Amino acid sequence: MSGVVKLLYKPFGILFGLLGGMIASALFSKVWKAVAHEDDAPDAGDEERRLKEILPAVALKGAIAGVVKAVIHRGGATGVRGLTGTWPA
């Protein structure tokens, strides 16, 4: 049964990952605006920004993405276990 649950969970895991990316991106934009008081965060391809401006933005974005991914993955797996009695991941 465990293998079947894992196989059936895969498409949902992909959808949850996409949803998590959208949530993380929106959350990062709000946090960046509040912290830096600018609309657009610098990125590595921004020629006019210095590395010391880019690195904090990238670190914050990565931290937010990691936390959102963990919360969504854990929530999805917990929900599947509640429905099937089997941990899917």
Side-chain angles (χ1 to χ4, degrees):
M1 176 76 170
S2 172
V4 173
V5 171
K6 287 181 183 184
L7 184 63
L8 292 175
Y9 180 73
K10 287 287 184 189
F12 292 103
I14 292 168
L15 289 175
F16 291 150
L18 292 171
L19 176 64
M22 290 187 287
I23 291 170
S25 180
L27 182 58
F28 170 72
S29 292
K30 288 182 183 279
V31 170
W32 184 258
K33 286 178 187 179
V35 170
H37 306 293
E38 343 178 312
D39 287 338
D40 296 322
D43 65 9
D46 193 343
E47 179 180 25
E48 301 182 6
R49 298 285 191 118
R50 298 178 64 181
L51 194 58
K52 71 179 184 178
E53 295 175 274
I54 294 169
L55 292 181
V58 172
L60 179 61
K61 188 173 189 175
I64 289 172
V67 168
V68 169
K69 178 182 175 184
V71 167
I72 288 178
H73 178 72
R74 185 70 179 197
T78 301
V80 169
R81 184 181 61 198
L83 291 172
T84 66
T86 302
W87 191 260

